Amino acid sequence: MVKLVILSQGLTGQSHELKVDKTTVGRVDDNTFSIVDPSVSSHHCEVVLRGSDVVVRDLNSTNGTFINGEKVAEAVLKPGQILRLGQIEMRLETDAPGAAGAATRKPVDSTIVMKRGVSLTELETGGTRSGFDTAGKGFSKKDNKGNRIFLIAAIIVGVVILGLVIVALMSAGKSPTPQ
């Protein structure tokens, strides 16, 4: 017997035995294995039994499908490996007795998008969210000294060209004096 057992808090122990060739996994009820969590897409992935292999195929999910932390489009899942869908982690287990029944759950309407990276506001204000700022200082704005020098040089060249044009126009407007 092969099954997926959820490890994430709140759903810990919930499992699904892989009895059929293709099992769809997602947030909505029409999936073979429904996981009601906003980080899981409505139709997140499918698990296909190919001989002795268990193959996981991502269905263009919002937050991705990962095996042992590596993002996959399609890959073989081996017993003991961790499959992560959004924020939900589960392990592939074999020959484990008794699958836990799914509790009655309230459906979630839409997939949440997990925040990644650092926002522009955090960079500008020097705020940190991950604690990597050990000096107590945030990021500082880049000095634009090179841009200022370029701008000053461009203004000087422009004034010189304008002066030459005025001199040329003035000398063109004068008529030559007869001798």
Side-chain angles (χ1 to χ4, degrees), residues 23-174:
T23 301
T24 57
V25 183
R27 188 184 63 252
V28 296
D29 290 335
D30 67 349
N31 288 289
T32 314
F33 185 22
S34 177
I35 302 173
V36 180
D37 183 85
S39 69
V40 176
S41 291
S42 56
H43 297 96
H44 202 101
C45 71
E46 61 186 15
V47 180
V48 180
L49 299 177
R50 285 190 196 148
S52 62
D53 287 341
V54 177
V55 178
V56 177
R57 182 180 306 129
D58 185 75
L59 299 175
N60 296 321
S61 62
T62 302
N63 293 316
T65 300
F66 299 81
I67 295 178
N68 285 348
E70 187 174 323
K71 189 170 186 173
V72 297
E74 182 173 325
V76 174
L77 179 65
K78 296 183 169 114
Q81 287 187 317
I82 304 298
L83 172 65
R84 180 167 56 87
L85 311 178
Q87 294 178 334
I88 301 299
E89 289 188 339
M90 58 191 87
R91 180 176 47 237
L92 181 66
E93 295 183 358
T94 58
D95 299 317
T104 304
R105 297 158 294 191
K106 179 183 173 192
V108 178
D109 295 330
S110 63
T111 303
I112 62 165
V113 177
M114 296 174 0
K115 187 173 182 178
R116 294 186 178 115
V118 178
S119 73
L120 181 60
T121 305
E122 289 174 314
L123 288 174
E124 289 174 343
T125 61
T128 59
R129 20 176 222 126
S130 62
F132 67 86
D133 184 17
T134 57
K137 299 177 187 174
F139 292 102
S140 61
K141 269 192 160 176
K142 184 178 176 182
D143 185 15
N144 288 327
K145 188 180 276 185
N147 289 343
R148 287 186 200 141
I149 292 171
F150 178 77
L151 183 61
I152 291 169
I155 290 172
I156 291 171
V157 169
V159 168
V160 168
I161 291 173
L162 184 61
L164 291 173
V165 168
I166 291 173
V167 168
L169 288 174
M170 289 177 68
S171 63
K174 291 183 181 178

Side-chain angles (χ1 to χ4, degrees), residues 11-30:
L11 300 172
T12 306
Q14 181 179 332
S15 65
H16 181 79
E17 188 176 341
L18 302 173
K19 299 177 188 175
V20 294
D21 289 341
K22 184 169 93 172
T23 301
T24 57
V25 183
R27 188 184 63 252
V28 296
D29 290 335
D30 67 349

